[in-house]
Amino acid sequence: MGRNDSNVTKMRKKQILLLKIGVVVWVCVIYAFFLHKPAATSTQKSHDITEQLDKLEEELNKQSQFYSVLLNKLRTMHQQQQNLGDEAVLQDPIVESPLLDGPVLPVLLIACNRDAAVRRSLDLLLKYRPSQERFPIVVSQDCGHRPTREAIESYGEKVTLIQHPDLSDIEVPLKERKFKGYFLIARHYRWALNQMFQKFEHEAVIIVEDDLDIAPDFYEYFSATYPVLQADPTLWCVSAWNDNGKADLVDVKNGTGLLYRTDFFPGLGWMLTKELWEELGPKWPRSYWDDWVRAPEQRSDRACIRPEISRTRTFGKKGVSNGLFYEKHLKQIYLNDAYTSFTKMNLTYLMKDHYDLVFEKQVQASQVVTINDVKGDRLAKGGFYRLIYHTKDNFKKLAKSLGLMDDFKLRTLALIRLMEQLVNEDNTP
């Protein structure tokens, strides 16, 4: 509204200036009239001057009334603009229905001893949260770190704090003692998720850790994909993260609404259902839970939904992983900044039967090329191309050349999507 106030002020100054100019012009006219009027007796002159002054006073009164009415109109317009601005805020896509209505999707924030990181994460979660009732935030703290607990408590009733009661030391095999943190995290996750599903009886949970920034449409994304997750038994999670989401590897300009199925569990801001936890909870591992989740025995040929452009980004250089891959990879992941109204989209194309059919057609129709074709700028813009690998080492070589994560568990889809993007960029005039 600062811009509207400035415009009104300028209009007022302009009108006052016009009023002053009008007065000056009128005085000049009267003066010229007296200069050119034939001589008369002093009595007649006095009478004429009085008459002209009366007319001048009458005209000034009329102008004063005119500008008074004009200023009142300006004030009315200003108030109307303020009201429209307030309505625009209420109709902002971040807070409008259907985000205000729908199933409760709580956010579980896993925390330990990083009070500054917790504040940063909570500030964004609260900034973009459209409804406290629909998206309650529960912070589960391990470690017993007092400054972190106080940081969480400072948010009052905006969040709920639960504290892991078991702060005892944990038994770790001798050769894995330097990885003790992973054992503690797995124990904390198990307790916290049991609280969410068993004590609080939620049907689904969005999990984030205390070192994640979120995108403005974070809640919109999970709200829209939850019905798809419920409807398709071949899906088992929704993730806000793209492992290969560097700015030069994704379609930043046109890809904000693109979603995919992936066989690889991305994590880093993800949603699971109570049904899945009832399956995984009883056999939850003692450590390295994310690698365990990615194992075929747990995945059972199911997929996750993930975005082209990440809705989370980690700033956790310091942590239990000691910054593993952070500078080289994680730090460079692009965080979406353009709000996408996923809840207004038809996302049924993510259902397995439809998605696999389209995907297989794209793969079969794509042209087989070599890495030299890609790097040598030999491919036409807008086409679909395919790189074929036969061994793990071959894949790692291709992935490294393209700047991809060289985890062999990532599938060819990432290569195909990336190939298309690289060709489009390389051929852009």
Side-chain angles (χ1 to χ4, degrees):
M1 292 309 297
R3 184 176 180 181
N4 292 332
D5 292 337
S6 176
N7 290 337
V8 171
T9 302
K10 290 179 179 178
M11 290 178 68
R12 288 177 178 171
K13 289 182 178 179
K14 184 175 180 181
Q15 297 301 332
I16 294 172
L17 178 61
L18 289 174
L19 176 60
K20 292 179 179 179
I21 294 173
V23 172
V24 172
V25 171
W26 182 257
V27 172
C28 290
V29 170
I30 297 300
Y31 180 72
F33 174 79
F34 284 124
L35 283 178
H36 294 87
K37 187 175 181 181
T41 64
S42 59
T43 303
Q44 182 64 37
K45 285 183 178 180
S46 176
H47 176 74
D48 290 344
I49 291 173
T50 302
E51 184 178 348
Q52 293 299 327
L53 288 175
D54 289 340
K55 289 183 178 180
L56 177 59
E57 183 180 5
E58 181 182 357
E59 185 64 27
L60 289 175
N61 286 334
K62 289 181 180 180
Q63 291 191 29
S64 177
Q65 292 175 2
F66 168 78
Y67 288 116
S68 178
V69 171
L70 180 60
L71 288 175
N72 286 333
K73 288 183 177 180
L74 288 173
R75 292 190 185 99
T76 301
M77 291 173 59
H78 178 58
Q79 185 61 46
Q80 289 175 343
Q81 288 173 337
Q82 283 185 320
N83 293 338
L84 288 173
D86 294 339
E87 290 177 6
V89 171
L90 292 175
Q91 294 173 1
D92 190 290
I94 295 179
V95 298
E96 70 176 357
S97 181
L99 284 186
L100 297 180
D101 299 314
V104 175
L105 295 176
V107 176
L108 172 64
L109 190 153
I110 300 294
C112 180
N113 58 1
R114 296 185 289 188
D115 51 301
V118 165
R119 287 187 182 276
R120 175 170 169 175
S121 295
L122 282 176
D123 284 346
L124 281 181
L125 285 168
L126 291 171
K127 176 181 179 180
Y128 295 129
R129 181 171 69 173
S131 166
Q132 181 170 351
E133 290 72 25
R134 191 176 176 209
F135 301 99
I137 297 173
V138 178
V139 184
S140 180
Q141 186 197 2
D142 199 6
C143 309
H145 188 244
R146 180 176 177 179
T148 300
R149 187 196 76 235
E150 292 175 346
I152 299 166
E153 290 175 339
S154 69
Y155 289 89
E157 296 181 356
K158 295 178 182 178
V159 303
T160 299
L161 170 64
I162 59 176
Q163 293 180 281
H164 190 200
D166 187 1
L167 301 181
S168 63
D169 198 10
I170 192 169
E171 184 178 346
V172 179
L174 182 62
K175 63 180 181 179
E176 296 182 79
R177 283 187 178 178
K178 63 179 180 178
F179 302 119
K180 182 178 180 179
Y182 292 102
F183 287 78
L184 294 172
I185 289 175
R187 181 174 71 178
H188 184 195
Y189 260 83
R190 183 173 188 171
W191 178 83
L193 285 170
N194 276 334
Q195 294 294 299
M196 297 300 289
F197 289 117
Q198 296 175 8
K199 180 179 178 180
F200 299 126
E201 298 183 336
H202 290 299
E203 293 300 317
V205 173
I206 302 168
I207 305 172
V208 295
E209 295 189 6
D210 62 359
D211 58 357
L212 291 181
D213 289 332
I214 66 168
D217 55 1
F218 174 86
Y219 293 99
E220 172 86 24
Y221 171 69
F222 282 109
S223 180
T225 52
Y226 178 58
V228 184
L229 178 63
Q230 282 184 305
D232 189 346
T234 68
L235 290 170
W236 71 325
C237 82
V238 176
S239 173
W241 176 261
N242 178 3
D243 273 296
N244 290 306
K246 298 177 183 178
D248 58 340
L249 301 183
V250 295
D251 190 352
V252 172
K253 183 178 180 181
N254 302 307
T256 57
L258 297 179
L259 305 179
Y260 305 103
R261 294 173 65 106
T262 174
D263 292 347
F264 186 78
F265 171 73
L268 292 178
W270 60 289
M271 176 170 58
L272 77 161
T273 63
K274 182 178 182 179
E275 182 180 2
L276 179 62
W277 181 245
E278 289 175 345
E279 173 191 333
L280 299 181
K283 56 179 181 178
W284 194 250
R286 294 188 63 242
S287 63
Y288 318 116
W289 71 266
D290 49 348
D291 288 333
W292 176 83
V293 165
R294 295 184 179 109
E297 296 79 11
Q298 278 61 252
R299 189 174 70 82
S300 300
D301 293 324
R302 292 171 292 190
C304 290
I305 296 173
R306 61 95 175 163
E308 167 83 356
I309 303 177
S310 291
R311 265 59 188 186
T312 55
R313 179 178 58 199
T314 179
F315 56 86
K317 181 177 181 179
K318 295 182 179 180
V320 70
S321 63
N322 296 317
L324 187 65
F325 301 128
Y326 181 79
E327 290 293 337
K328 181 180 178 181
H329 189 80
L330 300 179
K331 182 180 179 180
Q332 302 177 46
I333 298 299
Y334 183 84
L335 179 66
N336 179 64
D337 58 3
Y339 194 96
T340 302
S341 298
F342 288 108
T343 53
K344 297 180 180 179
M345 297 180 179
N346 183 355
L347 300 183
T348 55
Y349 71 89
L350 293 167
M351 304 288 282
K352 179 177 175 60
D353 291 343
H354 178 78
Y355 188 92
D356 285 358
L357 181 63
V358 174
F359 173 64
E360 289 173 8
K361 287 183 177 179
Q362 287 182 341
V363 172
Q364 294 303 321
S366 62
Q367 178 183 345
V368 177
V369 296
T370 67
I371 190 64
N372 291 331
D373 293 329
V374 180
K375 306 299 285 186
D377 194 18
R378 304 171 188 170
L379 306 178
K381 180 179 178 180
F384 285 84
Y385 303 94
R386 181 171 20 142
L387 284 172
I388 297 178
Y389 61 90
H390 299 284
T391 66
K392 180 177 179 179
D393 290 340
N394 187 209
F395 174 84
K396 284 181 172 290
K397 184 178 179 180
L398 291 175
K400 184 177 181 180
S401 181
L402 294 171
L404 290 168
M405 284 280 281
D406 60 0
D407 192 318
F408 189 71
K409 289 170 282 190
L410 291 174
R411 295 192 56 179
T412 314
L413 173 60
L415 286 173
I416 293 175
R417 298 298 184 194
L418 177 62
M419 289 277 301
E420 179 186 8
Q421 177 65 18
L422 289 174
V423 171
N424 288 342
E425 291 178 353
D426 290 342
N427 287 278
T428 300

